[in-house]
């Protein structure tokens, strides 16, 4: 017969810490603590198999489960020499849920079980503390009635308040024993009135009621929702731990507390937590009494008040840390001066603490450097790199009700400034020295300058990989997208949030790490890590030094290279400071939007004949040359992959009548002509339209100008001794022939320069991927544009997916947002096949991934299993990618 | 040494008819005629290897080639007992190009070569006909000077005209010998003046000049262009045939003619052609003298004038037909009563003739039924099915300058009617009994009713597979798209063609077979074949009977099934008459646009809550039920695949402010609300947006209504004894899960009906294709939507490709329009893999192709090599597909 119940105690423990699937996290933790000699009140755990047994029987306790629980209960009574429901030395129990994956606070817990009219008296006698006994009893009735019997919490709270008032007690602990005895009776009346039955006196009934209630709580809406948002499967079910009670509320030599083995905020060593004298666990959490520190010189600190239990605690925590090799989050109780641990688990921590603790544990010899690399969540590094709100200041304004809305936290960090509803306005105010938040329905390449000038970006529409999100992350700007509660009204130049209307120029703050949009200004501070890295801070113990040690270890193991997507010298320098080994994607179109350039770009588009077009391009040439030159200098010695013009031409023309009129005046040309060209260039599906190499083939002079600029820039840089390494990348090919045509069309220009410049291609249409073996014959390198590849492969427009993709993810059609994490089954299949086909054709073909996925740790985990050589991502994601590539290497070796 | 020269004569022939690659079409034909005993003037052919030899030597004649030609020339002189350049019996030659693939008129020909000041006299003596000799000489000088020496044609024509005028001759044949002798001298002066050198006297120089000139003409712009548009490779080069001259201009017992062995227009038996007495070949073509019929009672007919040569001709043609087993197009010359054939080739013919000739040849025992199937071009059937302009009437108006513009011939057939610039207007005027041509910038599903009401459709934008083109072909309506010369001005309700402005209501005619847009009305006639098929005409000898015999043979061999894409009972009936074995695609959205429906569709879209939406759907249910019922009845016993709603909802809402206002009044609701919804539903790339099953998953009640309608319709039909076989098809899935969710959401409704209804899926995203093995687990059938699959795979929007796809095809990036003929390398790869994966998972999985490619013969040729079971296409393409599938089967067996 399968064992459905596992016992744990100092002398006899059936389970182990690695049996989370069977015993739940809590049960496994209790078992492991017992095995390593940590003092734990003994008990037993009903396994998740027991849960499934119960569910399969149609929510019925079957004989086998009942019998195994009863046997374990008998063993526990014998072990403790206590009697469940007996009046000599009454055994009281706690019943707690415990799922294989931690779901803190999501399910039910019942304490002090086993008390009834008889045992409460016995407890009063044994403890010589009637107040404690009846306090425990009233807590039990309240908890049990609420959780198991479904009686409303408020009823009990009202009676408790009446009692407090009657006794003029300020806090519950001041209520007299008599008051509590009376309260218990009134509690029982409430139960009878609400359920039609007296509160159960039979401890066995209490126990089974509690166990079943915990079982059922697995499917409560709160728990289901938590599982959904955390991608936790629902089939496993929960384990139930039944544990003998120890009482922190049994007098002033007793108490209870929670603590971390290290500071969870900054990772510094030493116990960090709070405790209360003469209290049960819930009191610490409930916040009715103010708990005191555990460690320290404060007279109220546990270290001072209970020096002996404190020493036990320190010793126990040492055992736990060296056993679990990680910072622990523990719950303990002191009963008459003896320490008991009720729970231990790996402690949640900030990104900062996570980094420091892992490195410190390595220095302490508990883990090796690979384990440090493995432990730090790559995504947490983004937080360390983002600027932050002053915590207290933000808390204050939120308490004042300044929260306006929530959107998708697309770019981490904090920003505060004046609302600007257009890119032009953002630039104007920024030039005047104001901090600006650009707020748009959605952004387009036309807004680039405005985004550059803004401290943060907020959009009404779009998802995590919308234009705004991608560009903002690239710039390292805080960004919130898809904030559907706001309505941008350009006519009245206002912003509506439900009832609230803000005007352009009003102050607003956005927290891109949380998605909160907040009214008014909040002070911010730049990330200390970024400052440290840029300034080369090497102070031992500084965050920067911890970060550098982590990255050095990561570099030792990783196999994938990491480049950055960067379009400006500033971005390139930042990326280099953050460890980029080259530029994997320079989007040349971003350079077209600058001052003095967009005019000639538009002239080029509006040209009525090739010679006019060539003239306009001639004006653009020196700008592009300068742009490339500066990039090449910034990346001296490292490769710089320059993607030729990609977006459709209409993106460079104004969209509204007003802007068209303005342009006509500026260009001194026919308004109607511009309008006609705008209409002519309009496309039903621009994503699949006349862009990328299609533009380069129909208008060869554009790419020729760009390649000439690369050649000129390279010449200039080399002449100055800079080791310039440009690479030319052709976007959106579907056939080998397109690559060949573009290559041939620029071959003479490259040859003129006298240097060899590799010419490669994006692989971003399924057709290019499917024919990669042949494309590789004409390519010096591949770079997968996984954004477009995802759009084409899934037939899914990134910009339009907002109306159904969230539902799709909720329903499990896609496990994750395929624009954030690569869709392994579909897009991944194409990528893997194409990369291999490319290498088969040409073993020295260099292969990169330059889509958004290049900076996503989960995607990197997959990319590492392919023939890809490097990933490329926005500068602020470079450290994330460096760490993730290292983790992927470690995983693949394991 | 490789043989670079092949001789041909009655007694000795080196080559054969199947050596077109070596000898060119003309050389191979001459060789074959000699081998089968047809009288041909002897000569020799320089092979294509000889051409390549010349090119590789840098456009130089190398020794080997020169020596082989000289040897052959020696042989020819001996054989004919004539002397090249001699004055006894002078040998004259023709030099003609001949490529492996026929390129009529694209390259150069030189006749009468070998004449000079001496030989011309000899010819005059030998023939006793100085007029003939000098006429031949002046023709030679003119032709050689123009072709080899590059002297302008006009100079000679001017001198010829002067001579005619001087002698008051009406035609060249009336010029006297003396006049010609004088003309020859003046021609020579022209040559000297233009080239600085005298006209070559040396026959060898003449010969090599001509041969090299023919070689070079392979690369002339005209020939290159012809090869490009006809997909003929350029590497092979041309062969050159050097043949002894016979002279049709050597007297009244001589003549020359061209004829077909059967009537190329309707295929009826008997010689069909024209001849001229005392003339050389060019005179027949030049149209200066009016040629006479070959066969017939007319006194001028060859049959009457030259009865003996005529009999020789009849006999020779019989030999040729039974040898080549096809209708021949021949050139012949009669010299002093003796017939010589100069050329034979398979004759071009109309679709009608093609069908009849093939069937007749089978009846005559020359070919078998498979060969009949193989011979008829499937595309030619479309022409037989399309309605036609009265030929004379059209010719008349074109001569009057009524041609307005040309567009893409998207839907064959002729239509004439009043210009309607909106669908509403088209419906209105049609209801009043007028014939209407709907003219739009481009069409959208909103225009369906208007398209139905129109005799033809003309659009300014879009390609061969734009909405207008696809729908029009589906309806069998004449259609011209992408007619960029027109400008639709909805404000003034006019249509501009360059200078011409037509008003709405003006008469216009469109020839969808040629792409011509013509001003005014032209009378049209429906295709006799369609009438015959619908009315069941079985008269022996009628086009219908020929068609039916062809189709019966096709049915015997074909393996792929053929279904039709049809949305209405009328279409279904037509498709059935044309041989469809079921409906492979019923687009249910087309049903949403009918009267009384669109109102409720819009109500459904504008519903502010689920109950309003359900109410609107409730109103649509009976309509859909009726629609499906009628379809099922029309297709009694055959499967009907019903695709659930596919397009995005915004396609059902009005686009302009005016229409929105109208709708608001009609719906009695808030205009602003509609506008907001329109904006809300707007998408950047609707093709990749919220459509297909995405809509069915986010709004399950829509698909549930549609499936309920299918079930109700099936019940009703079955109750009446109709063998209704509906199949439900889910569009645009990317994952197995989407199919499962939709299937589950309608499972209870299907179960309610009590019948089994297969539920399958479109495979139209690359991801669905890539994961087909898993999708098949949940599908009863697959149907490849190759339009969308092409768009996604190539990253190419059909509607937007007009601005660069023509260039792409011209540059050879895609060999053909990938929306017309499947891109085998990319899209085909996906289709083939996915079909096989589907069958591997589920061997009885039914697999179809329902995109436009299902009706394209070249695509069908590919599809037949995959695991696909059937194709589905628009009704008028069904015969095309039936024939093409049969051809594919024969090819695969060969």
């Amino acid at each position: 017969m399968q064992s459905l119940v596992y016992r744990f105690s100092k002398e006899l423990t059936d389970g182990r810490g690695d049996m989370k699937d069977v015993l739940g996290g809590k049960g496994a933790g209790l078992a492991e603590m017992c095995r390593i000699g940590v003092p734990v009140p003994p008990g037993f755990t009903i396994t998740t198999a027991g849960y499934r047994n119960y569910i399969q029987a149609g929510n019925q306790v079957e004989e086998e489960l009942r019998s195994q629980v009863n046997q374990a209960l008998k063993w526990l009574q014998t072990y403790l020499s206590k009697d469940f429901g007996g009046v000599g030395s009454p055994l009281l129990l706690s019943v707690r849920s415990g799922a294989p994956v931690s779901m803190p606070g999501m399910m039910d817990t019942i304490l002090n079980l086993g008390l009834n009219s008889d045992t409460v008296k016995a407890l009063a006698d044994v403890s010589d503390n009637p107040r404690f006994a009846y306090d425990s009893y009233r807590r039990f009735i309240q908890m049990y009635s609420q959780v198991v019997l479904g009686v409303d919490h408020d009823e009990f709270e009202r009676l408790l308040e009446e009692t407090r008032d009657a006794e003029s007690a300020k806090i519950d602990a001041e209520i007299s024993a008599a008051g509590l005895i009376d309260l218990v009776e009134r509690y029982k009346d409430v139960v009878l009135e609400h359920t039609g039955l007296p509160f159960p006196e039979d401890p066995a009934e209490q126990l089974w009621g509690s166990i079943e209630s915990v079982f059922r709580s697995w499917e409560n809406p709160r728990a289901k929702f938590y599982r959904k948002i955390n991608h936790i499967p629902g089939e496993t079910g929960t384990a139930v731990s039944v544990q003998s009670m120890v009482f922190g509320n049994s007098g002033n030599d007793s108490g209870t507390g929670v603590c971390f083995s290290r500071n969870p905020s900054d990772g510094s060593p030493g116990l960090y937590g709070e405790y209360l004298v003469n209290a049960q666990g819930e009191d610490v959490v409930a916040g009715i009494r103010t708990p005191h520190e555990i460690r320290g010189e404060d007279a109220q600190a546990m270290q001072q008040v209970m020096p002996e239990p404190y020493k036990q605690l320190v010793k126990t925590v040492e055992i736990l840390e060296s056993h679990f090799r990680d910072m622990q989050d523990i719950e303990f109780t002191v009963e008459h001066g003896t320490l008991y641990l009720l729970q231990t688990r790996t402690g949640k921590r900030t990104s900062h603490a996570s980094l420091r603790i892992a490195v410190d544990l390595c220095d302490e010899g508990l883990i090796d450097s690979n384990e440090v690399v493995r432990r730090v969540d790559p995504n947490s590094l983004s937080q360390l790199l983002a600027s932050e709100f002053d915590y207290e200041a933000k808390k204050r304004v939120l308490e004042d009700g300044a929260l306006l809305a929530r959107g998708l936290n697309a770019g981490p960090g904090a920003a505060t400034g004046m609302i600007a509803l257009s890119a032009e306005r953002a630039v104007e105010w920024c030039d005047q020295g104001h901090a600006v938040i650009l707020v748009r329905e959605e952004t387009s390449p036309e807004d680039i300058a405005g985004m550059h000038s803004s401290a943060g970006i907020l959009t009404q529409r779009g998802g995590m990989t919308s234009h705004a999100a991608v560009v903002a992350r690239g710039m390292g700007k805080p960004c919130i997208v898809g904030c559907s509660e706001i309505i941008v009204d350009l006519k009245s130049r206002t912003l509506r949030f439900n009832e609230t209307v803000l005007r352009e120029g009003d102050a607003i703050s956005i927290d891109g790490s949380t998605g909160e949009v907040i009214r008014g200004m909040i002070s911010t501070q730049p990330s200390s890590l970024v400052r440290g890295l840029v300034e080369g801070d090497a102070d031992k113990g500084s965050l920067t030094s911890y970060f550098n040690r982590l990255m050095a270890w990561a570099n030792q193991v990783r196999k994938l290279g990491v480049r950055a997507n960067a379009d400006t010298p500033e971005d390139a320098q930042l990326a280099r400071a953050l460890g980029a080994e080259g530029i994997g994607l320079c989007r040349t179109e971003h350079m077209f939007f600058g001052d003095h350039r967009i005019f000639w770009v538009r002239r080029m588009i509006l040209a009525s004949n090739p010679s006019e077009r060539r003239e306009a391009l001639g004006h653009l040439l020196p700008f592009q040359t300068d742009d490339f030159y500066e990039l090449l200098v910034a990346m001296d010695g490292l490769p710089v992959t320059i993607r030729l013009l990609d977006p459709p031409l209409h993106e460079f023309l104004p969209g509204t009548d007003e802007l068209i009129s303005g342009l006509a005046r500026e260009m001194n040309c026919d308004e109607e002509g511009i309008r006609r060209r705008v209409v002519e260039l309009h496309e039903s599906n621009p994503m699949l339209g006349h862009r990328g190499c299609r533009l380069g083939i129909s208008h060869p002079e554009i790419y020729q100008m760009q390649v000439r600029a690369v050649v000129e820039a390279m010449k200039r840089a080399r002449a100055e001794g800079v080791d310039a390494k440009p690479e030319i990348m052709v976007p959106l090919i579907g056939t080998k022939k397109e690559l060949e045509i573009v290559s041939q069309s620029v071959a003479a220009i490259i040859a003129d320069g006298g240097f060899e410049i590799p010419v490669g291609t994006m692989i971003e249409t399924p057709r290019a991927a499917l024919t990669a073996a042949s494309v590789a014959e004409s390519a010096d390198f591949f770079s997968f544009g996984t954004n477009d590849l995802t759009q084409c492969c899934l037939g899914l427009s990134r910009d339009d997916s907002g109306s159904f993709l969230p539902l799709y993810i909720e329903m499990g059609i896609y496990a994750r947002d395929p624009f954030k994490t690569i869709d392994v089954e579909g897009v991944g299949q194409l990528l893997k096949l194409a990369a291999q086909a490319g290498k088969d054709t040409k073993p020295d073909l260099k292969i990169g991934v330059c889509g958004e996925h290049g900076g996503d740790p989960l995607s990197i985990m997959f990319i590492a299993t392919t023939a890809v050589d490097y990933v490329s991502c926005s500068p602020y994601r470079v450290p994330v990618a460096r760490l993730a590539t290292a983790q992927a290497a470690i995983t693949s070796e394991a």
Side-chain angles (χ1 to χ4, degrees), chain A:
Chain A
M1 187 56 218
Q2 190 185 9
S3 202
L4 302 176
V5 175
Y6 283 64
R7 295 161 296 179
F8 56 88
S9 67
K10 192 173 176 189
E11 281 75 21
L12 185 154
T13 297
D14 297 324
R16 285 190 320 275
D18 59 3
M19 296 175 74
K20 282 189 181 177
D21 284 350
V22 177
L23 303 176
K26 184 165 286 149
L30 290 167
E32 194 67 10
M33 284 195 286
C34 286
R35 288 166 59 88
I36 62 173
V38 167
V40 165
F44 55 87
T45 300
I46 303 171
T47 65
T48 54
Y51 165 82
R52 292 190 295 270
N53 198 298
Y54 172 81
I55 296 300
Q56 278 152 22
N59 289 15
Q60 293 290 332
V61 177
E62 287 197 316
E63 190 43 42
E64 182 61 34
L65 178 59
R66 188 175 301 276
S67 133
Q68 290 195 25
V69 168
N70 285 340
Q71 271 177 19
L73 185 59
K74 199 170 286 171
W75 161 80
L76 186 61
Q77 294 176 80
T78 310
Y79 180 82
L80 288 173
S81 308
K82 289 189 174 179
D83 193 2
F84 187 53
V87 295
S89 177
L91 173 63
L92 301 189
L93 299 173
S94 69
V95 176
R96 285 186 174 92
S97 64
V101 177
S102 169
M103 295 166 58
M106 287 305 125
M107 289 185 302
D108 296 330
T109 292
I110 290 159
L111 302 180
N112 305 343
L113 189 147
L115 284 174
N116 60 20
S117 316
D118 298 329
T119 52
V120 70
K121 286 189 196 116
L123 184 63
D125 287 351
V126 171
S127 65
D128 196 17
N129 189 342
R131 206 210 149 276
F132 150 66
Y134 282 93
D135 185 46
S136 300
Y137 194 25
R138 73 95 192 158
R139 286 172 193 264
F140 170 57
I141 296 171
Q142 184 166 349
M143 216 180 279
Y144 187 93
S145 300
Q146 194 184 331
V147 170
V148 183
L149 306 177
V151 182
D152 194 5
H153 181 255
D154 294 348
E155 294 274 350
F156 299 110
E157 285 301 315
R158 192 176 49 76
L159 293 174
L160 184 61
E161 200 180 321
E162 276 180 26
T163 305
R164 271 205 308 269
D165 290 351
E167 298 201 359
S168 307
K170 275 193 228 95
I171 55 172
D172 296 349
E174 290 176 8
I175 299 173
S176 68
L180 289 167
I181 291 169
D182 181 51
L183 188 60
V184 160
E185 289 313 309
R186 294 168 70 192
Y187 271 18
K188 287 183 176 173
D189 291 344
V190 169
V191 173
L192 183 61
E193 189 184 323
H194 276 81
T195 66
L197 291 170
F199 186 82
E201 287 281 300
D202 177 9
E205 185 186 345
Q206 293 173 359
L207 177 61
W208 285 108
S210 300
I211 290 171
E212 290 193 48
S213 173
V214 171
F215 279 164
R216 286 193 303 269
S217 71
W218 178 252
E219 291 291 341
N220 76 32
R222 219 168 17 140
K224 284 167 80 170
F225 180 76
Y226 185 90
R227 286 199 296 273
K228 196 174 68 185
I229 62 171
N230 287 286
H231 305 285
I232 299 172
E235 306 84 50
T236 56
T238 184
V240 180
S241 289
V242 179
Q243 192 174 16
S244 54
M245 289 293 300
V246 288
F247 293 96
N249 57 344
S250 51
N252 284 335
D253 58 351
S254 302
T256 189
V258 295
C259 81
F260 293 90
S261 59
R262 294 170 194 244
N263 185 320
S265 177
D266 64 10
S268 56
L271 289 187
Y272 183 89
E274 300 170 316
Y275 89 114
L276 274 175
V277 170
N278 195 14
Q280 269 199 329
E282 54 172 344
D283 297 328
V284 181
V285 186
I288 299 163
R289 287 165 61 190
T290 306
H292 302 291
E293 285 180 9
I294 286 181
R295 194 165 59 102
E297 303 306 315
D298 187 284
Q300 304 265 40
M302 183 180 174
Q303 192 173 2
Q304 309 305 328
V305 175
M306 296 184 169
E308 204 45 46
Y310 174 78
K311 272 184 213 153
Q312 287 175 40
L313 183 60
V314 170
K315 195 178 137 226
T316 302
V317 162
E318 270 170 19
I319 295 171
L320 287 172
E321 271 208 350
S322 56
H323 182 73
F324 290 109
R325 303 183 305 129
D326 203 353
M327 186 263 264
Q328 296 295 299
D329 170 2
I330 62 178
E331 289 178 24
F332 66 88
T333 286
V334 176
E335 189 184 53
H336 302 309
T338 302
L339 176 79
Y340 293 95
L341 258 67
L342 302 182
Q343 175 163 312
T344 190
R345 58 187 172 198
T346 303
K348 304 243 180 251
R349 64 204 80 180
T350 64
S351 306
H352 185 149
S354 170
L355 173 56
R356 170 160 185 180
I357 289 170
V359 175
D360 282 351
L361 286 173
C362 181
D363 288 344
E364 291 163 24
L366 285 174
I367 58 177
D368 64 15
S369 66
N370 273 4
E371 181 63 17
V372 177
V373 168
R374 218 186 51 71
R375 282 216 185 154
V376 179
D377 177 0
N379 284 318
S380 73
L381 297 182
S382 300
Q383 289 168 27
L384 297 181
L385 297 161
S387 59
E388 307 140 351
F389 278 129
D390 181 295
Y391 178 74
E392 290 300 329
K394 177 176 164 192
K395 197 172 158 196
R396 257 194 320 276
V397 299
L398 284 183
E399 280 167 6
D400 290 349
L403 182 68
L404 290 167
R406 274 176 195 279
L408 298 174
N409 49 343
T416 196
M418 292 160 69
I419 296 170
L421 296 179
S422 66
E424 293 72 22
R425 191 60 57 88
V427 173
E428 180 190 334
W429 287 349
C430 172
D431 289 347
Q432 293 167 11
H434 301 290
V436 176
I437 305 289
L438 179 64
V439 186
R440 304 278 292 156
E441 216 169 286
E442 50 193 335
T443 62
S444 73
E446 272 208 310
D447 296 321
I448 293 281
M451 294 172 82
H452 252 304
S453 296
S454 302
I457 294 112
L458 168 62
T459 72
Q460 182 184 346
R461 293 212 234 151
M464 293 298 276
T465 53
S466 59
H467 178 266
V470 172
V471 174
R473 278 201 294 274
M475 295 177 176
K477 305 240 181 211
C479 176
I480 297 176
V481 297
C483 185
S484 53
E485 289 166 76
I486 65 172
I487 293 170
V488 176
D489 185 344
L490 284 176
K491 275 193 197 151
S492 62
R493 305 295 288 193
T494 58
L495 202 58
R496 266 184 291 158
F497 297 84
N498 303 313
E499 264 80 79
T500 311
V501 178
L502 299 187
R503 275 168 309 178
E504 191 167 32
D506 285 355
I508 200 173
S509 297
I510 61 172
D511 189 331
S513 307
T514 62
E516 291 160 309
V517 182
I518 302 160
R519 186 172 192 159
M521 296 273 186
I522 309 175
S523 53
T524 61
Q525 46 201 36
S527 148
S528 63
L529 178 56
V530 169
R531 269 182 330 204
L533 289 170
V534 171
E535 293 162 11
D537 169 22
D539 284 1
K540 193 165 181 311
S542 72
L543 182 57
T544 312
S545 77
Y546 276 104
F547 176 87
N548 284 337
R549 292 186 64 196
L550 173 68
M551 285 295 148
W553 285 328
N555 279 355
Q556 280 172 15
V557 292
R558 72 192 166 90
K559 300 204 179 77
L560 279 173
V562 177
R563 297 191 190 180
N565 302 343
D567 318 323
T568 63
E570 296 75 32
D571 277 359
Q573 277 148 9
L574 178 65
R576 201 167 186 159
L578 297 177
E581 298 159 317
I583 290 180
L585 174 63
C586 162
R587 301 179 197 83
T588 53
E589 58 269 23
H590 285 176
M591 301 171 174
F592 277 23
F593 279 102
D595 270 353
H596 310 298
R597 291 137 193 242
I598 187 66
F599 177 85
W600 289 111
V601 172
R602 288 170 171 169
R603 267 261 185 255
M604 184 262 290
I605 297 170
L606 297 170
S608 50
N609 57 54
S611 87
E612 261 183 51
R613 186 174 307 125
R614 269 191 296 272
E615 193 209 326
L617 285 165
H619 284 280
L620 285 169
L621 178 63
F623 290 120
Q624 285 255 294
T625 306
D626 287 350
D627 290 336
F628 294 147
Y629 166 76
E630 287 174 26
L631 266 187
L632 292 171
V633 169
M635 297 309 281
D636 186 358
L638 297 176
V640 174
T641 310
I642 292 166
R643 181 177 70 184
L644 300 177
L645 191 69
D646 186 44
L649 294 181
H650 56 72
E651 288 203 4
F652 299 99
L653 291 185
T656 66
D657 276 359
E658 195 185 336
L659 289 171
I660 288 173
S661 307
L663 181 61
R665 277 194 303 277
E666 187 188 348
M667 300 240 153
N668 193 19
C669 70
D670 176 26
E671 196 174 316
E672 196 44 49
I674 300 180
R675 201 166 318 234
R676 201 162 41 232
R677 191 84 176 111
V678 169
V679 169
E680 226 172 73
L681 290 174
H682 170 80
E683 296 186 308
S684 314
N685 296 288
M687 151 71 207
L688 307 175
H690 195 163
R691 48 170 285 235
C693 69
R694 295 162 190 171
L695 214 50
I697 287 172
S698 63
H699 299 71
E701 57 278 9
I702 300 178
Y703 280 9
Q704 283 161 356
M705 179 280 285
Q706 294 197 294
V707 171
R708 192 172 301 283
V710 172
V711 169
E712 295 298 322
M714 187 176 178
K715 269 194 207 165
R716 201 195 299 171
R718 289 267 176 120
E720 293 169 8
V722 171
D723 183 14
K725 294 182 159 177
E727 301 175 340
I728 287 168
M729 181 154 72
V730 182
L732 205 71
I733 70 144
T735 65
K736 176 189 178 185
K737 185 115 185 179
E738 286 162 287
L739 178 58
E740 288 173 348
I741 289 171
V742 172
S743 296
Q744 280 158 18
S745 135
V746 301
I749 298 167
I750 294 177
D752 269 358
F755 305 111
E756 294 222 337
I757 302 181
V759 177
T761 181
M762 300 276 287
I763 301 287
E764 50 187 339
T765 67
R767 196 184 190 285
L770 288 163
T771 59
S774 123
V775 173
E777 290 166 6
S778 304
D780 293 325
F781 60 90
F782 278 179
S783 185
F784 286 92
T786 50
N787 291 348
D788 279 6
L789 194 58
T790 298
Q791 297 196 84
C792 287
C793 183
L794 274 49
L796 191 61
S797 160
R798 194 175 66 182
D799 295 339
D800 301 317
S801 61
S803 63
F804 57 92
L805 195 53
L807 176 69
Y808 261 45
I809 292 163
E810 194 180 308
M811 294 179 88
I813 294 170
Y814 292 108
R816 290 159 198 283
D817 183 337
F819 294 112
K820 216 179 144 229
T821 299
I822 200 162
D823 159 45
V824 170
E825 200 184 349
V827 180
Q829 189 184 149
L830 275 181
L831 187 152
K832 191 163 196 160
L833 288 173
Q836 192 54 53
K839 290 272 189 193
D840 287 348
T841 296
K842 196 179 271 183
D844 61 345
L845 187 79
K846 199 89 184 160
I847 305 183
V849 168
C850 68
E852 273 292 294
H853 299 104
D856 171 61
L858 280 173
S859 304
I860 287 173
M861 222 32 121
F862 167 74
I863 292 166
T865 69
T866 70
V868 167
D869 297 305
Y870 68 88
V871 295
S872 186
C873 55
S874 52
Y876 281 100
R877 299 295 291 181
V878 164
V880 176
R882 289 168 72 195
L883 182 53
T885 52
Q887 292 182 344
I890 293 170
T891 301
S892 75
E893 275 168 15

